[in-house]
Amino acid sequence: MLTKLEITKNFINGTWKESETGETMTSFNPADGVIVGESQKSGLADIKLAIRDAKNAFENTDWRSNSTRRSDALMQWASNLKEKKEEIARLLTLENGKPIKEARMELNACIDTLKYFAGMARSVFGRSINLSSTSYGIIDKEPIGVVGIISPWNWPALLMIREAAPALAAGNAVILKPASRTPLISVKLVELIEGIADFPSGIVNIVTGPGRLIGDEMTTNPDVDVISFTGDTTTGKSLMKKAADKVKKLALELGGKSPNILFADADLNKAIPILAKSAFISAGQMCFAGTRVIVHESIHEEVVEGIRKEAEKLKVGNGLNESTDMGPVISEEQLKKVLEYCEIGKQETKLVTGGNRLTGGEFDNGFFIEPTIFDYVQIESRIAQEEIFGPVLAVQVFKDEDEAISLANGTNFGLAAGVWTKDVSRAVRVAKKVKAGTVWINTYNKNYPQTEFGGYKESGLGRTRGIDGLLEYTETKHINIEFDE
Ligand code: NAD
């Protein structure tokens, strides 16, 4: 039940502004098609203004040199979010469709991330080195300038904060460009900084609008020093080409096709519920969703049967119901894409469960898909190779360790993986051979602001979170001092 329509504006240089285009974009609830609100459909004039003002704020305030101020500002943002968490979680569910319990989890992670980087703001350490009896080197870590943050719709709050917090902690100014499917939640998060005096005007800006126009201008404008992009690998590649002209620094967090490898000695009681959760979380619309299970032939049947039961137990429905485990996919376009993959899967291999749109009753007005499992999926097949971004799990079978590793590494992606075994040596050996930025052993989907995250191969460039995530948003400068003996 919607209480009020959210109408949002851009936030540029500390002021709420309507777009110069005079146009707006409508957000719909993917669970029932009801309008959630309107945001600005900005044009080039809006983003150019934000870039100019962000540059000005970076150059003419003490933000980049006053680490205590930055720390206090981020901590206050965390505290304001904590206060409004329930209201914002509801909006996140309405605009994205995700279950309310997942929305709360996402916002808790935002609060945790802001707090962590509030602390880190005071620890942007460089190094120093004696070079000779008359020479000394300071290796300084400096903020870069204006960071353009382009984020996706699947975890719209966390994926924006995950980049904004370290960029700000390091002393940069930011321009946020949220996905056009979820602008309202992103603007709501920025509303929380209003009144925090420690944020100088122009240090945090948000401009909503089409990626191809706004994102493109951010990527090519010489006054944006860094682009932090989280999204589809194809979009990431096109950004790289555009940024090349200005040799612009890029941080890219892209797609995945992450495997869970189960050896014969795995603790299946623990593994099976986690495998199902990791595949169907966010209706599979999660970059590191465990969308492939690579299982030893001796336990294959038991594992498939176990995950099938878990999948069929999931309560699919409107995210506002506290008992919902899985919501709809984000849009009709996404629904069609996922159902096409289901048809491909049905032709290529064996369907275990699901594979259809859910219809009837509350499902008729939303984009709901059954949790779906395909078995005996060959590595060269499309459903093993391509990121579906829907609730579709591919099971693959192996005979020995080498084959398991080869299957795990057999796609162009390398974001995350899980290894399940009681043999510690095997767990570490396999973890080191799997080409992925994160490998979980006997668990999955454990993320912390203090541990680095990012992709091998086509899953990305650079790292987010942790110390490396902070340093992504700094330049390294050697200051050399010559002195008399
Ligand atoms: P997307 O690439 O379509 O859009 C992402 C953002 O880019 C949006 O804000 C969009 O407006 C903008 N954009 C689109 N075209 C652009 C252009 N030409 N220039 C600049 N910006 C442009 O991705 P999506 O569908 O919103 O998100 C899903 C994808 O994101 C999946 O591939 C998923 O794996 C990936 N993802 C990765 C991570 C990670 O941490 N690696 C996290 C979440 C999602």
Side-chain angles (χ1 to χ4, degrees):
M1 189 185 55
L2 190 63
T3 41
K4 71 173 168 77
L5 272 192
E6 293 290 346
I7 313 285
T8 65
K9 294 182 184 170
N10 291 331
F11 191 60
I12 301 174
N13 202 22
T15 308
W16 293 102
K17 284 186 161 57
E18 284 179 0
S19 163
E20 299 205 16
T21 62
E23 292 178 55
T24 57
M25 306 187 292
T26 307
S27 289
F28 297 92
N29 182 345
D32 55 17
V34 171
I35 293 177
V36 184
E38 301 279 335
S39 61
Q40 303 301 309
K41 187 175 182 184
S42 308
L44 281 179
D46 302 299
I47 185 64
K48 283 184 179 183
L49 185 69
I51 294 170
R52 190 202 67 186
D53 290 348
K55 187 179 179 203
N56 187 37
F58 176 72
E59 288 180 350
N60 297 310
T61 65
D62 69 347
W63 180 253
R64 63 174 157 173
S65 55
N66 189 341
S67 59
T68 311
R69 178 177 194 169
R70 301 200 299 269
S71 179
D72 289 351
L74 289 170
M75 198 55 101
Q76 190 59 50
W77 195 358
S79 158
N80 290 0
L81 175 52
K82 199 170 168 200
E83 227 169 80
K84 292 270 177 70
K85 191 179 92 180
E86 200 50 37
E87 181 192 320
I88 294 179
R90 192 169 178 277
L91 177 63
L92 176 51
T93 290
L94 286 173
E95 195 179 28
N96 169 282
K98 66 177 59 197
I100 187 78
K101 52 194 174 194
E102 189 184 304
R104 291 186 192 116
M105 198 201 313
E106 182 171 346
L107 295 181
N108 284 338
C110 291
I111 295 166
D112 200 26
T113 301
L114 285 165
K115 283 185 184 169
Y116 172 74
F117 283 107
M120 289 294 279
R122 296 167 73 154
S123 305
V124 189
F125 285 108
R127 287 175 275 129
S128 65
I129 183 166
N130 284 309
L131 297 163
S132 75
S133 56
T134 59
S135 180
Y136 192 65
I138 297 171
I139 311 301
D140 200 17
K141 293 290 181 187
E142 297 183 337
I144 309 175
V146 176
V147 179
I149 297 175
I150 304 176
S151 31
W153 45 259
N154 62 323
W155 277 57
L158 182 60
L159 299 177
M160 184 178 89
I161 295 291
R162 186 182 74 175
E163 306 307 328
L168 291 165
N172 301 282
V174 300
I175 301 172
L176 308 166
K177 207 308 276 175
S180 302
R181 300 247 176 234
T182 50
L184 303 177
I185 178 69
S186 315
V187 177
K188 280 284 143 190
L189 289 170
V190 173
E191 282 180 9
L192 297 171
I193 73 163
E194 247 193 318
I196 303 178
D198 280 315
F199 278 114
S201 297
I203 286 295
V204 178
N205 307 277
I206 187 161
V207 177
T208 56
R212 276 196 198 89
L213 190 73
I214 307 300
D216 204 75
E217 176 62 22
M218 287 163 80
T219 312
T220 50
N221 191 307
D223 288 334
V224 176
D225 302 281
V226 186
I227 287 289
S228 164
F229 171 82
T230 305
D232 187 72
T233 293
T234 312
T235 321
K237 286 180 185 177
S238 87
L239 252 72
M240 278 184 96
K241 288 182 190 144
K242 286 180 191 150
D245 199 38
K246 297 279 180 299
V247 197
K248 189 166 293 194
K249 190 168 160 53
L250 288 175
L252 301 178
E253 295 294 334
L254 308 176
K257 194 76 193 176
S258 301
N260 268 294
I261 307 172
L262 271 94
F263 288 97
D265 63 347
D267 176 350
L268 297 187
N269 287 333
K270 181 181 178 196
I272 286 171
I274 295 180
L275 296 184
K277 259 194 206 136
S278 74
F280 302 123
I281 183 170
S282 308
Q285 303 167 116
M286 171 81 122
C287 54
F288 56 80
T291 50
R292 290 188 297 144
V293 165
I294 300 176
V295 55
H296 189 259
E297 56 182 0
S298 64
I299 52 167
H300 166 236
E301 274 182 33
E302 190 184 347
V303 167
V304 172
E305 185 53 15
I307 310 177
R308 182 188 66 74
K309 282 190 187 144
E310 291 290 327
E312 290 174 359
K313 255 183 1 203
L314 288 174
K315 191 170 177 309
V316 183
N318 190 311
L320 284 183
N321 298 333
E322 291 287 341
S323 58
T324 294
D325 299 309
M326 196 179 101
V329 295
I330 190 78
S331 62
E332 189 160 13
E333 188 189 355
Q334 193 66 15
L335 175 87
K336 273 192 194 147
K337 182 184 148 194
V338 178
L339 291 175
E340 269 168 37
Y341 276 110
C342 289
E343 289 314 307
I344 292 169
K346 286 175 194 170
Q347 283 158 25
E348 281 181 340
T349 191
K350 183 186 168 197
L351 176 69
V352 177
T353 186
N356 299 302
R357 179 177 189 170
L358 282 158
T359 51
E362 69 159 327
F363 294 131
D364 276 345
N365 296 323
F367 311 122
F368 296 93
I369 303 179
E370 293 171 320
T372 299
I373 303 172
F374 288 104
D375 199 2
Y376 300 107
V377 176
Q378 298 303 301
I379 188 65
E380 60 282 355
S381 67
R382 285 188 64 192
I383 60 165
Q385 290 293 328
E386 295 173 24
E387 187 184 47
I388 298 172
F389 231 52
V392 182
L393 174 67
V395 179
Q396 303 177 281
V397 190
F398 72 87
K399 287 190 169 56
D400 60 31
E401 191 176 304
D402 284 347
E403 191 186 6
I405 293 164
S406 156
L407 287 171
N409 289 336
T411 73
N412 291 334
F413 297 106
L415 195 57
V419 180
W420 296 83
T421 174
K422 291 189 184 109
D423 177 341
V424 176
S425 299
R426 166 174 274 164
V428 176
R429 192 167 62 233
V430 173
K432 289 184 81 65
K433 286 185 181 164
V434 170
K435 291 187 179 129
T438 299
V439 181
W440 287 289
I441 294 174
N442 295 329
T443 187
Y444 202 85
N445 189 9
K446 293 282 170 68
N447 292 288
Y448 311 86
Q450 59 269 46
T451 55
E452 277 72 3
F453 183 83
Y456 277 48
K457 302 194 274 183
E458 293 188 17
S459 286
L461 206 59
R463 289 294 178 269
T464 182
R465 301 195 175 120
I467 296 170
D468 289 4
L470 179 80
L471 296 180
E472 280 290 322
Y473 296 108
T474 62
E475 276 286 12
T476 303
K477 181 179 282 172
H478 170 207
I479 300 173
N480 188 268
I481 310 170
E482 197 71 33
F483 53 92
D484 298 333
E485 253 182 308

